[in-house]
Amino acid sequence: MTLLSRRKVLAALAALSAVSMLPANLASAAGKIKVAGIYTQPIQQKWDARLHQALEVAKAAGKIEYSFSEKVSNTDYIRVLREYAESGVQLIVGEAFGISREARKVADEYPNVAFVMGDPFKPHGSNFSVFDNYIHEPCYLMGIIAGSMTKSKKIGMVGGYPIGEVNRLFHAFMAGAKSVDPAIEFKVTFIGSWYDPPKAKEAAFAQIESGVDILYAERAGVVDAAREKGILAFGNVNDMNKEENGKDVVVTSALWHMESAIDYAIEQVKAGSFKAEDYKEWTMMQKGGASLAPYYEFEDKIPADAKAKVAALSKKIMSGEFVVEINDNEPKSTF
């Protein structure tokens, strides 16, 4: 064998060795990767729907093969997580709220699988990344508009549970409204469910009886109450004007977008460079993870000075000049 051919063989072996050092499923892949979504709620429920939608976009773009399971209870979640990991998927997207410790153990058992999980705690190991929805910035902007439109100076807020991902949105909305008028008061109700429209509607009715003339609809069902009582509402996570019968009722919504975060994870898996990270910034405005929905038929009904303030602050948020405070403490009613 010549010296030149020996060099070629050694170079080839070195390249092969470098690739083999990567976990098998996380090694570079030119084509589609296999992705699974595991959801505790029906995919119609808005939080899971945003994850499902982002993965469907990636599937339509030819980036992934996508399968999913919905309505998976916490007691059954770990079994389903393991089944997908055993099936050869390279990326699992889901939620580990309430089962964080158990989900991390599964990730340790399958180091060749990438996990991107909704979770309030820190990333784990080499392959367990976490995210939460940090859409507090558009919530603050919505609060400015709500504060400029309320006449009673009383605003109602109906949420699922008083956990960080909800609390921070309520606090930001309240802060935005109070930046317009510090005298504005708030009624806060948590219904103890992620998806119970009738219960959310009843909670909204009670708040309207107490004198609120604006509602923040963190949960489905609130918009229906606002429509029936002839008051305005502001939406959460999805575009509730278009997606939840909110025409002439929902002024705008704080939108959560997971497309950028999902694309980032997919590219990391394909490149063989996936690592455990906190995807927090990928759910905020600067990286396209959050935005304010269009005003639609309310375009000319919102006070001009409020729209101007929102536009100016949006630019400052995007540049990093203005930072909306993150407050995960449970918000309380002020009247």
Side-chain angles (χ1 to χ4, degrees):
M1 183 180 288
T2 66
L3 181 60
L4 181 59
S5 61
R6 283 178 180 173
R7 286 175 177 173
K8 286 181 179 179
V9 170
L10 289 172
L13 288 172
L16 182 60
S17 175
V19 171
S20 66
M21 289 174 67
L22 294 172
N25 284 0
L26 299 188
S28 179
K32 298 178 182 178
I33 65 168
K34 292 182 178 180
V35 181
I38 312 176
Y39 312 114
T40 60
Q41 303 293 320
I43 56 172
Q44 290 79 14
Q45 192 267 356
K46 63 174 69 185
W47 202 89
D48 287 329
R50 302 306 280 181
L51 302 179
H52 179 65
Q53 177 179 304
L55 288 164
E56 285 284 0
V57 169
K59 176 184 175 182
K63 298 176 182 178
I64 63 173
E65 293 178 18
Y66 172 51
S67 55
F68 69 92
S69 296
E70 59 181 322
K71 296 184 282 188
V72 180
S73 66
N74 274 2
T75 55
D76 206 28
Y77 204 95
I78 297 304
R79 177 187 64 79
V80 177
L81 202 59
R82 281 199 174 96
E83 285 180 355
Y84 273 119
E86 289 282 352
S87 74
V89 300
Q90 295 150 282
L91 170 64
I92 297 176
V93 178
E95 49 199 298
F97 300 103
I99 51 168
S100 296
R101 184 178 300 176
E102 295 86 348
R104 281 163 168 74
K105 288 181 179 178
V106 175
D108 289 340
E109 294 170 17
Y110 299 93
N112 295 341
V113 180
F115 294 79
V116 177
M117 307 293 287
D119 192 285
F121 302 112
K122 294 184 181 299
H124 174 77
S126 62
N127 63 330
F128 192 95
S129 290
V130 298
F131 67 88
D132 208 340
N133 62 326
Y134 283 84
I135 60 171
H136 57 291
E137 296 161 326
C139 286
Y140 184 93
L141 301 177
M142 285 200 311
I144 292 171
I145 299 170
S148 72
M149 297 182 80
T150 178
K151 294 181 173 57
S152 69
K153 294 188 179 182
K154 292 182 177 180
I155 296 175
M157 314 175 76
V158 179
Y161 293 93
I163 65 172
E165 68 172 82
V166 177
N167 297 344
R168 72 178 67 112
L169 310 186
F170 277 17
H171 278 297
F173 184 86
M174 295 162 77
K178 289 178 76 69
S179 75
V180 175
D181 186 346
I184 292 174
E185 297 179 289
F186 303 90
K187 185 68 73 179
V188 180
T189 305
F190 294 100
I191 64 170
S193 173
W194 290 130
Y195 193 70
D196 191 339
K199 193 171 184 179
K201 186 176 180 179
E202 286 303 316
F205 279 149
Q207 291 189 348
I208 294 168
E209 287 295 320
S210 74
V212 309
D213 65 349
I214 296 280
L215 286 167
Y216 177 13
E218 199 270 331
R219 291 291 103 195
V222 178
V223 172
D224 292 337
R227 180 179 297 284
E228 289 186 26
K229 296 298 183 179
I231 68 171
L232 300 177
F234 287 79
N236 184 69
V237 173
N238 61 332
D239 189 341
M240 296 175 76
N241 183 293
K242 296 301 181 188
E243 297 178 42
E244 296 194 26
N245 192 32
K247 185 180 180 185
D248 297 319
V249 176
V250 177
V251 179
T252 186
S253 300
L255 303 180
W256 180 33
H257 311 284
M258 276 297 287
E259 287 79 3
S260 295
I262 293 297
D263 280 348
Y264 173 72
I266 291 169
E267 292 308 313
Q268 295 295 302
V269 172
K270 284 188 173 184
S273 57
F274 186 89
K275 58 185 179 294
E277 297 181 73
D278 187 341
Y279 279 45
K280 174 182 175 180
E281 291 184 2
W282 289 95
T283 67
M284 295 169 66
M285 285 177 63
Q286 283 187 334
K287 291 196 173 183
S291 69
L292 198 61
Y295 301 139
Y296 300 115
E297 63 274 11
F298 290 96
E299 185 68 47
D300 298 324
K301 299 176 183 178
I302 300 170
D305 57 342
K307 287 200 297 184
K309 184 176 181 180
V310 166
L313 277 181
S314 294
K315 291 180 180 178
K316 290 183 177 181
I317 290 171
M318 293 296 285
S319 69
E321 185 179 350
F322 184 81
V323 177
V324 178
E325 180 186 2
I326 296 173
N327 183 348
D328 285 354
N329 296 321
E330 181 177 348
K332 304 291 184 180
S333 296
T334 58
F335 74 96

